[in-house]
Amino acid sequence: MTVLETDARPALLTGGFVFAEGPRWRDGKLWFSDMHGEAVYTTTLAGETTRVLELAGRKPSGLGFLPDGSALVVSMAERELLRLAPDGTYSVHARLGHLVDDELNDMVVAADGTAFVGSYSLEPETGVLLRVTPDGQASVAADKMSFPNGTVISPDGRTLTVAESKRRRFTAFDLDAGLNLGGRRVVAPAPAAAPDGIALDAEGGIWAAFPLAHEFRRILPGGEVTDRVHLPDRMAIACALGGPDRRTLFLLSAENWNSAALGGARTSVIETVRVAVPGAGLP
């Protein structure tokens, strides 16, 4: 089975970033963080790119949106969620340092504005998923996670799936009416490489970035890989499904993940390919 269009090859959309991360499609634009470039951007399908938030001294990562259109931004080292209002001003939405010692990482935001934020925990089973309500109240939603990374929510809002990088697997939880997590289970292994950012499609397939394998893979529940996009000389960092029909797969890549190795060089890019199965759910 393949869902990539015939002879699909990545096409450059935009570039000039240090480390593009956290892509989210919303209202005709792709939002993304430049983690080591300390800023948040948007770009259109024509590649018209705008810096919407400069965060000197901070590392932005996961993104999401509140019902009023405000953007939530993970500030990794400060262990905070920032809120970027539609008028361009930003403030601290939630402080999470009392719940986690590690830096923060990726995030998914549910339709009502509840955020689930993972920790940048390098040792297996030391990570957490934090739950932040729309009014900024925070608690631990799940513990003993192994570097929780990219996270998605199913279209019906009843299942949350997260890539656990250090255990090379995808783990799902049930979401109840109060957006509490339960029914934890492994839905797909990824034994050959560690997954990073992910996106969900309408057939339940997960597109995942595998940095050290230099490729993006589409994985079905159970672990079957149906498609691959290989990047010989670049690390695959994160992906998103968007565009008017949600059949544009945005591929974010970088030459390295380490800020010291990158040295501020603006070599990170965003490319696209077309797929047959559209995106679904959140983000």
Side-chain angles (χ1 to χ4, degrees), residues 82-105:
L82 307 179
R83 177 181 177 270
L84 174 62
D87 66 5
T89 60
Y90 84 90
S91 58
V92 175
H93 179 69
R95 291 181 171 88
L96 307 177
H98 63 293
L99 295 174
V100 61
D101 294 327
D102 298 308
E103 292 187 354
L104 302 180
N105 192 23

Side-chain angles (χ1 to χ4, degrees), residues 64-67 107-116 132 134 153 157 160 175 179 282:
F65 300 91
L66 294 172
M107 170 178 68
V108 68
V109 179
D112 77 333
T114 299
F116 293 91
V132 183
I153 294 175
L160 179 147
L175 280 169
L179 293 183
L282 295 168

